[in-house]
Amino acid sequence: MTPLGIVLVLAVLTAFALRRGFTRLIAVAAGFPIGVIASVGGQPAPTFFTLGALACLWLGVEWIAGRGRVRDGSSEHRPGALSLVIFLGWSLLVTLIAPTVFEGIPVLVARGGIDEQFLDPGTLTYTVSNVAQAAYLVISIGVVFFLAKSPATTPGLLGIVLGIITVVSFWRLLSLGTGLPYPEGFFDNSTTVRIIEETPDGEARFRGIFSEPSGLAAASLTTLVFFALRLRYLGGWGRVGAVAILVMAAVNAASSTAGTFVAAGLIMVGIVVVFWIGGFVVNRTRLDPVLAAVVILVSGVGLFFVPTLIAFVESVVSVKISSSSYGSRTGVDLFSYLLTLDTWGFGVGLGSNRPSSFLATLLSCTGVIGAAFFAIAITRLIVAASAKPEYHATIWALVSVLVSKIVSSPNISDNAALLWISCGVLAHAAWSENREAEPAPGPPQRLSLMRR
């Protein structure tokens, strides 16, 4: 067992004694994306999935005891729940039978490397990756249901994950630059992931406590989105801490020098602008005067930095497009979309194909049906939770996670904590039986960055 594992085991025992503390402990464990508790049979036991498995066990025990069953019609309406279950069941079915039905067709082997597989694809057969990815998905969706049911799930729960990632990564950055003591290899102690800390040309890059800089860039973008929207609900030292985390996240993102932050960030800006304008025109919403003043002030100051920003974006884009990895990543994604067609939209199963984009993974591994039910589940969770303004920060954080994964994170298990904990928090908001926290009767409040 690793030192990190010993610490978390002691925390688990304490959390089980306190019960409500276990929900927060899952969020703490999720703050170590490549941290492992122990190695079992040569295979690592990741912190998030290990505690997630305990959460699933907890749910199972409560279900057997009868405490997790629906007792009246008031809790039957759970938007997105059925879609999540169908997505899980379909994904497992495809994973079970696809390697037999489509045996031997070319696929991108998960452990083969993108550049290598792009030049020389493998063939479809049953592998340990099928079992691992299927187990990860079962645990992940189990965590969603656990968080949805837990009374300790709050609108700020995702902030625990993002705060730990940001602070520990920034601590490591200070250590590299100033020699500040830092427990290297304690928080990011997995020995089975490929660590990337430099470009093919040997130029140093910063990865934080992720396996590569793009992971840090994606998490930093989500942190900026989440805490910027959570500020209005915080006060005193909580607001000071949130501002400090925002500053650290911005520094981490800049230090990563990853194109993921630029690409996903620009997409997020576009989504926000379209949503903002659409809400203003269609819903006739009133712009908050304070927000308007801030936007005008920032826009005025920002005009002086536009040439520098454009030059930076152009340099990042040109370097990325001219790199060999860009050609490989584009090629494997196109290969995966064609693979979806080759299997008549059925898919090849979880863990059987590993492209560069989450969307390409969904389509090629779980097929059109799996991707459709995943999209339905996410959409229904977002729409249902949007009636509660305190959950809007989590909604936009989830959008940021999905955008970043579509840009550069393929597996369902990659950065899984941010995706599934966000879904769990929104499920709690959408399925909660506690009517006291709901808005007063009247027209439903729509998801918006503006105040009515």
Side-chain angles (χ1 to χ4, degrees):
M1 181 174 290
T2 66
L4 177 61
I6 295 174
V7 172
L8 288 177
V9 166
L10 294 176
V12 166
L13 295 177
T14 304
F16 266 106
L18 299 175
R19 288 184 64 82
R20 292 173 66 94
F22 186 66
T23 297
R24 298 183 182 91
L25 186 58
I26 290 177
V28 171
F32 311 117
I34 57 171
V36 299
I37 289 180
S39 181
V40 181
Q43 297 298 318
T47 56
F48 172 70
F49 290 111
T50 301
L51 268 66
L54 292 178
C56 293
L57 179 62
W58 192 325
L59 279 180
V61 171
E62 289 198 334
W63 179 266
I64 294 174
R67 289 185 293 174
R69 300 174 186 175
V70 175
R71 291 183 172 84
D72 53 60
S74 63
S75 58
E76 289 181 351
H77 184 61
R78 299 181 178 183
L82 180 59
S83 299
L84 273 177
V85 173
I86 294 176
F87 167 66
L88 174 61
W90 174 262
S91 299
L92 296 179
L93 176 65
V94 173
T95 305
L96 180 64
I97 66 176
T100 296
V101 176
F102 304 108
E103 183 179 9
I105 67 171
V107 293
L108 304 169
V109 179
R111 300 190 178 187
I114 289 180
D115 293 333
E116 293 80 1
Q117 288 295 297
F118 175 62
L119 299 174
D120 185 22
T123 56
L124 180 61
T125 186
Y126 292 100
T127 67
V128 68
S129 293
N130 297 128
V131 179
Q133 293 298 318
Y136 289 154
L137 184 59
V138 170
I139 294 172
S140 298
I141 292 182
V143 168
V144 173
F145 281 86
F146 177 85
L147 294 180
K149 187 176 183 295
S150 173
T153 300
T154 64
L157 186 67
L158 185 63
I160 297 176
V161 187
L162 296 171
I164 291 175
I165 289 174
T166 301
V167 171
V168 177
S169 293
F170 187 74
W171 179 13
R172 183 169 181 266
L173 179 63
L174 289 179
S175 175
L176 294 175
T178 66
L180 182 72
Y182 173 83
E184 192 70 44
F186 180 83
F187 301 109
D188 48 350
N189 57 352
S190 177
T191 58
T192 60
V193 299
R194 181 185 177 189
I195 301 296
I196 300 176
E197 293 189 280
E198 59 182 25
T199 65
D201 298 329
E203 182 180 352
R205 302 175 67 194
F206 181 61
R207 63 176 178 85
I209 55 173
F210 288 83
S211 60
E212 57 181 295
S214 63
L216 176 62
S220 298
L221 176 62
T222 302
T223 302
L224 292 171
V225 170
F226 179 83
F227 280 98
L229 295 177
R230 280 291 296 171
L231 279 176
R232 63 179 296 187
Y233 297 100
L234 301 174
W237 288 108
R239 176 168 291 190
V240 173
V243 171
I245 289 176
L246 284 169
V247 173
M248 288 186 280
V251 175
N252 288 340
S255 301
S256 72
T257 66
T260 299
F261 182 78
V262 175
L266 290 176
I267 294 174
M268 281 298 299
V269 169
I271 293 175
V272 169
V273 169
V274 170
F275 194 91
W276 188 24
I277 295 176
F280 186 77
V281 173
V282 177
N283 299 324
R284 297 178 181 178
T285 50
R286 180 174 61 87
L287 183 63
D288 189 334
V290 176
L291 178 60
V294 172
V295 170
I296 293 173
L297 177 62
V298 172
S299 300
V301 174
L303 289 175
F304 293 98
F305 297 96
V306 168
T308 303
L309 178 61
I310 293 176
F312 173 73
V313 173
E314 286 181 344
S315 65
V316 171
V317 172
S318 62
V319 169
K320 189 65 178 177
I321 292 178
S322 62
S323 66
S324 59
S325 64
Y326 177 80
S328 298
R329 291 176 182 275
T330 303
V332 296
D333 286 344
L334 178 58
F335 175 94
S336 298
Y337 292 132
L338 294 176
L339 181 61
T340 307
L341 298 178
D342 291 340
T343 58
W344 306 305
F346 189 79
V348 293
L350 296 169
S352 291
N353 186 67
R354 189 181 189 278
S356 175
S357 167
F358 181 63
L359 179 59
T361 295
L362 271 180
L363 287 171
S364 63
C365 293
T366 68
V368 174
I369 293 178
F373 276 104
F374 176 83
I376 292 171
I378 296 297
T379 301
R380 297 206 65 191
L381 285 176
I382 289 177
V383 171
S386 65
K388 300 181 178 181
E390 64 270 27
Y391 288 92
H392 287 185
T394 303
I395 291 175
W396 283 105
L398 175 58
V399 173
S400 172
V401 170
L402 290 173
V403 168
S404 297
K405 288 183 72 65
I406 289 174
V407 170
S408 67
S409 182
N411 288 348
I412 292 175
S413 59
D414 287 347
N415 292 338
L418 298 180
L419 170 62
W420 299 111
I421 287 183
S422 297
C423 289
V425 172
L426 297 184
H428 178 80
W431 307 345
S432 177
E433 296 179 357
N434 181 9
R435 304 303 179 187
E436 296 179 1
E438 293 185 355
Q445 299 185 40
R446 298 179 182 275
L447 174 62
S448 177
L449 296 179
M450 299 178 293
R451 188 177 66 188
R452 290 185 181 276

